[in-house]
């Protein structure tokens, strides 16, 4: 009896295990396919399921809005936390003294080159410029010869071995390092060869001469016709057979057409209406920005305006963790907004109009999303609507962009500036670029003579562009932005059209300390534009932090910066002025503060 029972049980178990094994194998195959097709992500410590219904049903994302209203713990309106004038203004006597010294040297600073000097300096400048063009032509001719020779060799080889399928010569240049676009290729193509604007290493440009090149701009400025986008559009329309610019959205007339070679807008007033419409116009399409390292959306608004949206990732008081490099830092929407206001107060007007906006993720993003993006939406365990999107950094489920709460999402909205076909842009590598690696330092970080040895020798900076670069350094130090790898310009507006201060998402990552290395261009070159200095003086006298807070009050997401951020802005302004002061110990005042007419 006992034996019979035992056999029966054993048999049952055997059968059960077979069924289990089948089930297990099936499950494994299922998991493997899910993993391959991206429905499952495996992290170091968890497995994440991205299994979504193939067709997204709007009802899957119904958010309980009453819950938000009835739950006082959920902040559905940002609290106004900044008490006015809480941060104090310290006035440094030494800085005040610098202001009065500059006032006294005003005549000397503002003086233009006399006729004789102008001729001489123009000649010197032209000598360098012709030198680099000459070398460029020589190099091009040399490369063409070399290519010709190689081609002949290949042809001869082909004649000798007619069966051998030779590799195409031009094919060898396809692999280009994206980051080092200005570095020389192994075998550059003479047709697309970029002009090397740098003089040879033994050809130093003395400081006095370099300063004269900058001063020469003051004369040129007076003679110059300042080009606008309107002119570019008019020019383009003359040959616009495809009628590409026939029915352009109203933003062109309201804003784009007025962009000039000098700045993105001339009066705050001109930009306020754009900010307002970007913050309120209904969204009609939502796409992802291609090739981004972090998630960015491109929205088309009802009035035809295209805008770039960076969604909220971190709270206002977030600081970059001490072990995080600048190149892995999160992009912050509040930084983009604050940077616009800082740039505007500095009088540069080189950051595109940027405003904060609260989105209803369901109706404004999900329901308007293009299919690729739509597929990445899901509801989190906390009941919030989230999406991951596609990008190379932080587009996995652990870093999803989620409603705070439910489907309420804050973001920065930046106007997309005009580009092709009427407006051509150019990107150039920043001379004080960081290495974007964990271990290697850039030359400017180890060589204090870098400015004279490298920057002064680059003929691209024998122009207005150099003091623009110092302006950018001032702006980046105040906003604490270490992520300035390139700068972009609308070159069809002119050879030295202003540097657009784009991509400020990684600024304001430090609050209680200052990143002194950002000031390297100012410290090493010891040159600053007169009008910028006067602007810094004005902000110092009137309280930069306070003015910034007042300016930010116009943003729908106010407060944008914390009180400590505002204190940091005042502190950094004083540091910049002190660095200028140190420079005037080394060089005379009129050889540090330069009036180039801009
Ligand atoms: N407001 C704008 N108008 C026009 N073009 C823009 C604007 N903002 C960004 N772009 C274009 O998109 C590019 C990428 O923008 P941004 O630098 O913000 O993205 P990113 O993904 O952070 O780039 P990266 O991570 O490589 O620094 C810019 O270099 C510029 O060419
Ligand atoms: Mn960036």
């Amino acid at each position: 009896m006992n034996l019979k029972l035992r056999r029966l049980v054993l048999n049952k178990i055997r059968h059960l295990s077979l069924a289990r094994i089948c089930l297990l194998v099936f499950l494994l195959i299922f998991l493997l396919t899910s993993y391959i097709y991206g429905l499952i992500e495996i992290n170091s410590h968890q497995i994440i399921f991205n299994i979504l219904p193939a067709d997204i049903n709007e009802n899957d994302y119904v958010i309980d809005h009453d819950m938000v209203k009835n739950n006082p713990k959920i902040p559905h309106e940002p609290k106004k936390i900044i008490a006015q004038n809480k941060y104090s203004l310290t006035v440094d006597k030494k800085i005040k003294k610098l202001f009065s010294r500059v006032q006294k040297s005003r005549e000397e600073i503002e003086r233009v080159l006399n006729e004789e000097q102008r001729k001489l300096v123009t000649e010197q400048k032209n000598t360098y410029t012709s030198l680099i063009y000459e070398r460029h032509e020589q190099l091009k001719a040399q490369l063409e010869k070399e290519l010709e020779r190689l081609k002949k060799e290949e042809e001869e080889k082909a004649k000798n071995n007619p069966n051998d399928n030779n590799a195409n010569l031009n094919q060898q240049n396809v692999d280009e390092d994206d980051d080092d676009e200005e570095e020389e290729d192994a075998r550059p193509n003479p047709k697309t060869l970029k002009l090397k604007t740098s003089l040879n290493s033994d050809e130093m440009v003395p400081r006095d001469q370099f300063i004269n090149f900058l001063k020469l701009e003051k004369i040129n400025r007076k003679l110059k016709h300042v080009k606008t986008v309107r002119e570019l559009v008019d020019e383009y329309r003359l040959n616009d057979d495809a009628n590409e610019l026939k029915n352009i959205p109203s933003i062109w007339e309201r804003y784009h057409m007025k962009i000039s070679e000098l700045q993105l807008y001339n009066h705050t007033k001109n930009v306020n209406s754009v900010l307002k419409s970007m913050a309120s116009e209904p969204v009609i399409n939502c796409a992802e920005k291609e090739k981004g390292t972090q998630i960015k959306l491109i929205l088309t608004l009802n009035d035809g305006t295209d805008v770039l949206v960076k969604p909220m990732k971190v709270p206002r008081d977030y600081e970059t963790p001490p072990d995080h490099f600048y190149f892995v830092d999160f992009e912050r929407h509040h930084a983009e907004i604050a940077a616009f206001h800082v740039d505007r107060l500095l009088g540069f007007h080189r950051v595109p109009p940027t405003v904060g906006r609260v989105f209803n993720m369901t109706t404004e993003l999900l329901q308007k999303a293009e299919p690729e993006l739509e597929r990445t939406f899901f509801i989190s365990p906390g009941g919030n609507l989230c999406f991951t999107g596609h990008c190379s950094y932080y587009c996995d489920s652990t870093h999803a962009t989620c409603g705070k709460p439910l489907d309420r999402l804050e973001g920065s909205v930046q106007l997309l500036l005009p580009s092709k076909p009427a407006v051509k842009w150019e990107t150039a590598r920043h001379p004080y670029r960081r290495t974007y690696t964990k271990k290697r330092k850039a030359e400017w970080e180890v060589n204090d003579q870098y400015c004279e040895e490298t920057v002064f020798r680059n003929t691209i900076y024998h122009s207005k562009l150099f003091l623009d670069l110092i302006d950018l350094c001032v702006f980046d130090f105040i906003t604490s932005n270490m992520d300035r790898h390139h700068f972009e310009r609308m070159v069809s507006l002119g050879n030295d059209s202003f540097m657009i201060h784009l991509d400020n998402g990684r600024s304001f990552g430090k609050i209680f300390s200052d990143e002194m290395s950002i000031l390297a261009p100012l410290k090493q070159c010891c040159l600053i534009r007169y009008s910028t200095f006067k602007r810094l003086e004005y902000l110092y006298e009137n309280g930069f932090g306070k003015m910034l807070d007042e300016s930010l009050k116009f943003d729908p997401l106010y407060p944008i910066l914390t009180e400590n951020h505002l204190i940091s802005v005042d502190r950094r302004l004083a540091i910049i002025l002190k660095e200028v002061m140190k420079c005037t110990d080394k060089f005379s005042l009129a050889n540090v503060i330069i009036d180039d007419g801009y």
Side-chain angles (χ1 to χ4, degrees), residues 216-227:
L216 184 64
E217 289 301 312
K218 189 164 176 178
I219 302 169
N220 295 341
R221 163 82 176 94
K222 284 201 184 120
L223 307 169
K224 188 190 252 167
H225 165 72
V226 176
K227 218 168 184 176

Side-chain angles (χ1 to χ4, degrees), residues 119 319 417 431 445 477 508 580:
K119 268 190 192 152
E319 276 208 281
L417 299 174
E445 291 180 272
F477 180 69
F508 294 101
V580 174

Side-chain angles (χ1 to χ4, degrees), residues 293 296 310 331 483 485 503 506:
T293 50
K296 275 177 287 291
K310 294 195 180 177
E331 301 235 49
D483 187 28
H485 38 91
D503 193 11
R506 283 182 176 146

Side-chain angles (χ1 to χ4, degrees), residues 179 289-296 308 310 331 336 352-353 414-419 425 427 436 483 485-486 488 490 500 502-506:
D179 265 357
K289 188 175 191 307
E290 279 171 28
K291 291 187 198 158
T293 50
Q294 292 185 35
I295 185 79
K296 275 177 287 291
L308 184 78
K310 294 195 180 177
E331 301 235 49
E336 288 283 357
Q414 184 172 78
L415 183 65
L416 274 177
L417 299 174
S419 55
W425 290 49
T427 306
Y436 288 76
D483 187 28
H485 38 91
H486 288 81
E488 285 176 272
M490 298 182 186
I500 310 170
L502 274 187
D503 193 11
N504 303 303
R506 283 182 176 146

